[in-house]
Amino acid sequence: DDIRTAGADVQVEPLPTVTGHRTDLSQLFSNLINNGIKYRRPDVAPRITIRAENRGDAYQFAVSDNGIGID
């Protein structure tokens, strides 16, 4: 398991139940978590946070990490 091997801390805030294709949504979050692990800072344990905000007529999901970032 990449999360355990990397010593990653994955925090998942309460998330809403949404309608969608389960496999696609699972793959999306898996890819984002794996990117947070892959593009981490040397000698720093990855920390990944997943959250959602109710915007009234939709939810805005956010996945953040303490990785190297994008220039």
Side-chain angles (χ1 to χ4, degrees):
D1 175 66
D2 291 338
I3 294 171
R4 200 169 302 145
T5 302
D9 178 23
V10 180
Q11 299 292 315
V12 181
E13 296 182 6
L15 299 175
T17 300
V18 296
T19 302
H21 193 269
R22 181 184 302 263
T23 303
D24 289 345
L25 290 170
S26 178
Q27 187 66 53
L28 171 65
F29 283 102
S30 178
N31 288 347
L32 292 169
I33 291 167
N34 285 328
N35 282 348
I37 293 170
K38 181 176 180 179
Y39 298 106
R40 65 182 188 225
R41 297 178 190 281
D43 302 321
V44 176
R47 180 174 175 86
I48 302 159
T49 303
I50 302 169
R51 63 186 171 282
E53 182 179 334
N54 187 338
R55 296 289 183 136
D57 62 341
Y59 286 97
Q60 180 176 345
F61 289 83
V63 178
S64 59
D65 61 62
N66 64 343
I68 60 175
I70 300 171
D71 289 337

